[in-house]
Amino acid sequence: MNKKVIFIFILTIIALVILALFSFGHLSDKRNAAGINPSSLKPVSTETANKENASVAWNLYRNRDVVENYYSVQLPQKWNVNAGKKAGSYSVNFSDGNGTVVLMDVPDNSTLELFILSQQEPQLKKAIPGYHRVDYKKILVSGNEAYELIYQNTKDNEAYETLKTYIAGSDQAGVLTFTVKQSSFNETYSLLNLIIQNFKWENK
């Protein structure tokens, strides 16, 4: 090998290592963080809605992180809302639990429901101790095909219940996940359902 060939070979190896770090390693978090639009974290409006004779104050967030996947979501003002790990996502904490709003790729050779049942739920069963499905059904969210999955699990000897909703979009799917203590789930469900039903894609 002459020096030029060796030099090109070394550059190729370096480029592959850098690509791997940005795709899968610790640098991938920096790449994802770079895609987060600061305006997505600022509520664009507030409003008050009545829920079972109780007044709930809401913040409306418009996510503008990922082109073709703009969306809006309303979250209670009392909740702590932060950017998620990837562009196009939120992480939330509230008195009864926590949750996330994320974007999810669905392979072109699959449907949303098939992907949930063949890929997503099997992964949940493997990753979550004491996973037990409570309910699964097809619903509509702002006119979009969606699927609601409710499951129970245990953590540190405490029982939890999770509401996970997958909402079809023109490019990616939106996934809203909320986990609360099992003892609080029924009373919290109506509030969580309001959040889900007010999720809207804004690609136009």
Side-chain angles (χ1 to χ4, degrees):
M1 268 188 211
N2 60 39
K3 291 183 179 180
K4 185 176 181 181
V5 172
I6 293 173
F7 180 71
I8 292 173
F9 177 76
I10 292 172
L11 284 180
T12 302
I13 295 298
I14 293 172
L16 289 173
V17 170
I18 292 172
L19 179 62
L21 287 172
F22 271 98
S23 298
F24 309 107
H26 66 278
L27 292 179
S28 64
D29 290 337
K30 293 183 179 180
R31 182 196 63 181
N32 289 322
I36 295 172
N37 186 336
S39 66
S40 296
L41 287 171
K42 297 176 182 177
V44 295
S45 67
T46 60
E47 65 177 66
T48 300
N50 289 323
K51 173 187 153 306
E52 299 174 357
N53 298 322
S55 183
V56 178
W58 299 86
N59 281 336
L60 175 67
Y61 295 86
R62 285 201 166 98
N63 194 285
R64 296 295 183 270
D65 292 356
V66 183
V67 177
E68 296 182 3
N69 295 280
Y70 291 171
Y71 65 85
S72 66
V73 61
Q74 284 186 315
L75 299 168
Q77 285 182 19
K78 291 184 178 180
W79 286 18
N80 184 20
V81 180
N82 294 293
K85 292 182 178 180
K86 294 185 177 181
S89 65
Y90 296 102
S91 173
V92 301
N93 289 282
F94 48 98
S95 59
D96 296 322
N98 58 73
T100 58
V101 182
V102 303
L103 296 172
M104 182 185 75
D105 281 317
V106 178
D108 293 337
N109 62 351
S110 181
T111 65
L112 177 57
E113 183 171 29
L114 178 61
F115 188 67
I116 294 167
L117 298 178
S118 66
Q119 301 293 325
Q120 286 283 296
E121 191 173 27
Q123 288 177 9
L124 293 172
K125 288 179 180 178
K126 288 181 180 179
I128 298 175
Y131 176 92
H132 170 69
R133 184 204 279 191
V134 175
D135 194 21
Y136 171 81
K137 61 186 176 183
K138 182 177 181 179
I139 61 174
L140 282 177
V141 174
S142 300
N144 297 289
E145 168 195 0
Y147 297 89
E148 179 183 281
L149 173 65
I150 300 175
Y151 60 86
Q152 296 173 348
N153 68 286
T154 55
K155 182 179 180 182
D156 298 328
N157 296 318
E158 184 81 52
Y160 291 88
E161 199 148 345
T162 297
L163 171 63
K164 184 180 282 284
T165 306
Y166 300 83
I167 305 167
S170 58
D171 183 37
Q172 295 184 325
V175 185
L176 286 75
T177 305
F178 302 107
T179 299
V180 300
K181 289 184 178 179
Q182 190 175 338
S183 58
S184 303
F185 184 80
N186 288 338
E187 64 186 76
T188 309
Y189 177 81
S190 57
L191 174 64
L192 301 180
N193 190 53
L194 271 176
I195 295 169
I196 291 162
Q197 288 299 324
N198 283 316
F199 178 96
K200 291 182 175 63
W201 291 110
E202 298 188 347
N203 297 329
K204 295 180 180 179

